[in-house]
């Protein structure tokens, strides 16, 4: 299966976790990477850095939209923090239309577009090449339909960063995409990254070590451990959630995810966008459940394959 990854890689390390998984997934071919919220090309440079660690400089990487269409603000990546990026990485900016051109090429090659950051690049694609999203299969990380299961953090739609950072883009993608699947924020809370996994990562060369150090740093910075005492369904050694890797697994048809077809309509509560089940709404596929334990092993095995290929 051909995959185009549209990502805001460079902040939460789940984007790097997703990229490494894709490169080790059997029968998956990553044909292009575009970066969103990428003012100046720093995120694209980080993506290229990761590809180089895995010996995959053959995959094109292009910096995309710099800021939100909804409010014009930037969401800059982590820079000058050796805990996340041990080596200096110079930005790689791109012409304004380069991300659109790469996305068009991927769609024409039959790739599924997996958007694991704000959907700005996809909205720009549709505005510049109307009708393109109607011909593409698109899987997005984000979308809030039903609340998280009991025993998990009761996060509301406000926490759905990919959607809320650019609600204008989200509306464009929702309206224009004929074949749309949501890998929702609530279901991703059932797929934790655990401290027990870090030992296996560290034994897998430079990329494994990068994933381990970034995951530990982000866990400390985001306060993930503080969630555990109040939420009995979280593991005691929680580091992060596999938001983006799970979306990629949904796109690749991994059988450990339950995907239901629903009729949904978009609701705006003030500035917050979410979905509501409605018999008159449009058909959308929605990830509603996941075997988190099985996914942890599937993810680790794919990352290990990617790392082994670089040795």
């Amino acid at each position: 299966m051909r995959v185009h990854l549209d990502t805001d890689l460079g902040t939460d390390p789940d984007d790097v976790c997703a990229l490494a998984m894709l490169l080790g997934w059997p029968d998956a071919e990553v044909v292009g990477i575009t970066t969103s919220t990428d003012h100046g090309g720093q995120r694209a440079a980080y993506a290229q850095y990761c590809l180089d660690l895995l010996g995959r400089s053959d995959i094109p990487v292009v910096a995309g939209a710099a800021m939100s269409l909804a409010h014009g603000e930037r969401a800059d990546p982590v820079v000058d923090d050796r805990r996340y990026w041990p080596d200096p990485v110079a930005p790689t900016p791109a012409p304004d239309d380069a991300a659109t051109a790469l996305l068009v090429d991927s769609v024409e090659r039959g790739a599924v577009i997996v958007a694991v950051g704000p959907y700005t690049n996809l909205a720009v694609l549709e505005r510049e090449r109307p009708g393109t999203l109607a011909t593409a299969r698109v899987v997005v990380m984000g979308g809030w339909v039903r609340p998280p299961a009991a025993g998990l953090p009761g996060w509301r739609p406000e926490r759905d960063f990919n959607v809320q950072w650019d609600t204008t883009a989200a509306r464009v993608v929702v309206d224009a995409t004929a074949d749309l699947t949501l890998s929702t924020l609530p279901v991703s809370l059932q797929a934790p990254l655990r401290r027990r996994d870090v030992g296996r990562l560290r034994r897998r060369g430079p990329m494994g070590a990068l994933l381990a150090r970034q995951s530990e740093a982000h866990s400390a910075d985001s306060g993930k451990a503080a969630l555990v005492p109040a939420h009995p369904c979280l593991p005691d050694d929680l580091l992060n959630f596999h938001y983006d890797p799970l979306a990629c697994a949904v796109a690749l048809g991994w059988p450990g995810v339950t995907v239901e077809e629903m009729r949904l309509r978009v609701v705006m509560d003030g500035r917050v966008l979410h979905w509501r089940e409605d018999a008159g709404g449009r058909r959308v596929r929605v990830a509603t459940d996941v075997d988190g334990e099985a996914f942890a092993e599937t993810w680790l095995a794919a990352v290990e394959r990617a790392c082994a290929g670089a040795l």
Side-chain angles (χ1 to χ4, degrees), residues 50-72:
C50 294
L51 291 176
D52 291 344
L53 288 182
L54 290 171
R56 294 301 308 273
S57 58
D58 57 304
I59 300 171
V61 180
V62 174
M67 58 191 65
S68 168
L69 299 176
H71 47 69

Side-chain angles (χ1 to χ4, degrees), residues 5-12 15 33-46 62-79 91-94 99 103 115-124 161-167 169-170 244:
L5 184 67
D6 188 72
T7 172
D8 60 343
L9 187 150
T11 309
D12 189 320
D15 294 79
I33 300 170
T34 45
T35 50
S36 62
T37 65
D38 196 1
H39 177 78
Q42 185 66 65
R43 295 186 190 276
Y46 285 151
V62 174
M67 58 191 65
S68 168
L69 299 176
H71 47 69
E73 296 182 21
R74 290 162 36 185
D76 291 331
V78 173
V79 292
T92 54
L103 279 161
V116 296
Y119 315 147
T120 314
N121 285 335
L122 276 62
V124 172
F161 173 78
N162 289 351
V163 171
Q164 308 312 332
W165 183 254
D166 196 341
T167 54
D244 295 351

Side-chain angles (χ1 to χ4, degrees), residues 8 11-19 116 141 214 240-245:
D8 60 343
T11 309
D12 189 320
D14 66 318
D15 294 79
V16 184
C17 290
L19 176 58
V116 296
M141 190 280 125
Q214 288 198 357
N240 201 5
F241 297 107
H242 278 308
Y243 314 102
D244 295 351

Side-chain angles (χ1 to χ4, degrees), residues 5 18-19 21-22 114 116 139 183 243-253:
L5 184 67
L19 176 58
M21 184 193 80
L22 283 174
V114 187
V116 296
V139 178
S183 183
Y243 314 102
D244 295 351
L246 185 61
C248 293
V250 170
L252 292 164

Side-chain angles (χ1 to χ4, degrees), residues 193-214:
L193 173 64
R194 303 178 61 175
R195 190 170 298 277
R196 70 178 189 189
D197 303 327
V198 167
R200 283 175 64 174
L201 292 173
R202 285 203 178 96
R203 294 193 293 270
R204 293 300 171 178
M207 174 53 79
L210 182 72
L211 290 174
R213 70 187 295 155
Q214 288 198 357

